[in-house]
Amino acid sequence: MKFPEVYTLKQIANLISCKYIGDDNFPIYGINEIHVVEPGDIVFVDHPKYYDKALESAATVVLINKEIECPKGKALLISNDPFKDFNKLTLHFKPFKSSSVALATDADIGKGTIVQPNCFIGNNVKIGKNCVIHSNVSIYDETIIGDNVTIHAGTVLGASAFYYKNRPEGYDQLISGGRVIIEDNVDIGALCTIDKGVTGDTTIGEGSKLDNQIQIGHDTVIGKKCLIASQTGIAGCVVVEDNVTIWGQVGIKSDVTISKGTVIFAQAGINKTTVEGVTYFGTPAKDARSFFKEMAYTKKIPEILEFIKKNTN
């Protein structure tokens, strides 16, 4: 998430009332999570296990809960609670804006696009040409939709990320300031839910087709010409490359890549990155050919046991 203008280290430190290490005028361009940081970004870290990863990342400012030696070319923001202070920055630069109308006055809707009754279209939403948005669709603020997109009834684009910190007093949510981007020629079925990124974008690539009742988590990127069947659940920060086919009721854990051309059979559970062009089945999923061979061998176990029994008497 980029700021509307360049801020200095001192200005950001004043916003969240924390100490800092670095030049007062050290430039800061935005905030981002570790997997999408760029030079000029702030990243936060609040556990020693991840200090090195944050300090060695592309981020040039680290919001951290310990005063340590600052790496060369970077700056530090020293915070008692980096998680809360990261939320403060998100709320400052991307505050929630309430709506009193179903169609925001600054929404940009392209020529030939049809919006059916009872839809909600939020602030600064952009919808391209020749789209069809069916009834009761909710499109949250900042969502971008390309041309020739169809979205069926009851779908929600842009809900908050499912991202919480467990504290003694309860769960504390990481505030989402990202977006949903739907590229050209995408079809989205009824009752789908696509969460916005925490700081970046959740993206559905050009030409991809989604069935009904699909959940896609924050910051996940779906490639071009993918097919995803009903009741699939894809966690946050997943990369699904081009021409992937995912059949019904598949579950995919966070931070994995579904490589180009992968096929995943129904009810599979994916817990690691797949190999390009391979078909997967089972939980945890494995190469479908191997899985079916194992099933065939398993069925032969009674026959093998009977053979052993006869030949050992």
Side-chain angles (χ1 to χ4, degrees):
M1 183 176 76
K2 297 304 181 187
F3 299 153
E5 59 188 68
V6 180
Y7 278 71
T8 66
L9 180 65
K10 184 176 181 179
Q11 286 175 315
I12 296 297
N14 287 339
L15 280 175
I16 57 178
S17 302
C18 76
K19 294 169 58 179
Y20 61 92
I21 299 174
D23 186 86
D24 287 359
N25 295 313
F26 192 95
I28 303 176
Y29 297 88
I31 59 175
N32 265 316
E33 285 190 282
I34 189 71
H35 63 284
V36 288
V37 288
E38 299 174 348
D41 285 343
I42 299 170
V43 69
F44 86 91
V45 60
D46 58 5
H47 194 288
K49 180 179 177 181
Y50 303 108
Y51 283 172
D52 288 345
K53 184 176 181 180
L55 292 165
E56 294 167 8
S57 72
T60 42
V61 182
V62 180
L63 178 61
I64 190 169
N65 57 346
K66 184 179 180 181
E67 193 164 336
I68 59 172
E69 184 178 350
C70 183
K72 185 178 180 181
K74 295 181 185 277
L76 301 178
L77 292 160
I78 312 300
S79 165
N80 292 328
D81 194 331
F83 190 98
K84 283 188 175 179
D85 283 336
F86 198 78
N87 273 346
K88 287 179 185 177
L89 291 173
T90 300
L91 288 170
H92 179 83
F93 290 104
K94 284 287 181 73
F96 174 72
K97 298 177 183 178
S98 63
S99 293
S100 58
V101 293
L103 174 59
T105 56
D106 63 355
D108 182 359
I109 299 177
K111 184 178 179 181
T113 286
I114 297 169
V115 179
Q116 295 284 74
N118 298 322
C119 289
F120 171 76
I121 298 176
N123 301 295
N124 201 31
V125 168
K126 293 180 173 58
I127 302 176
K129 298 178 291 185
N130 302 315
C131 298
V132 179
I133 314 297
H134 287 279
S135 62
N136 300 305
V137 169
S138 292
I139 302 174
Y140 285 35
D141 294 2
E142 310 288 337
T143 298
I144 297 175
I145 298 172
D147 299 336
N148 306 306
V149 170
T150 298
I151 303 174
H152 286 278
T155 283
V156 177
L157 305 183
S160 294
F162 189 72
Y163 192 140
Y164 292 86
K165 184 178 182 66
N166 190 3
R167 300 186 188 272
E169 65 273 19
Y171 289 105
D172 193 5
Q173 185 175 34
L174 188 63
I175 305 299
S176 299
R179 306 180 297 179
V180 170
I181 296 178
I182 309 297
E183 295 182 353
D184 295 347
N185 304 309
V186 169
D187 292 343
I188 301 175
L191 300 173
C192 292
T193 49
I194 302 174
D195 295 342
K196 62 186 170 185
V198 171
T199 58
D201 298 327
T202 302
T203 303
I204 311 298
E206 181 179 357
S208 287
K209 311 298 181 183
L210 279 62
D211 197 358
N212 305 323
Q213 297 181 320
I214 290 168
Q215 157 66 15
I216 296 177
H218 69 91
D219 296 284
T220 284
V221 176
I222 307 295
K224 301 180 188 302
K225 293 184 68 177
C226 294
L227 284 174
I228 305 177
S230 180
Q231 298 181 15
T232 288
I234 303 176
C237 304
V238 172
V239 175
V240 179
E241 295 182 346
D242 297 345
N243 298 298
V244 166
T245 299
I246 302 173
W247 294 115
Q249 296 186 332
V250 166
I252 301 174
K253 75 176 287 289
S254 62
D255 297 310
V256 301
T257 296
I258 308 302
S259 300
K260 183 177 179 180
T262 296
V263 176
I264 305 173
F265 286 162
Q267 296 190 329
I270 303 292
N271 64 355
K272 61 183 180 181
T273 293
T274 67
V275 177
E276 184 174 327
V278 172
T279 298
Y280 288 81
F281 183 58
T283 302
K286 60 177 71 175
D287 181 334
R289 289 177 299 179
S290 299
F291 191 95
F292 292 139
K293 283 181 181 178
E294 290 173 10
M295 289 177 65
Y297 294 149
T298 300
K299 289 180 180 179
K300 288 183 175 291
I301 289 175
E303 180 183 331
I304 294 168
L305 292 174
E306 184 63 27
F307 177 82
I308 294 171
K309 182 179 178 182
K310 286 181 179 178
N311 287 275
T312 55
N313 289 336

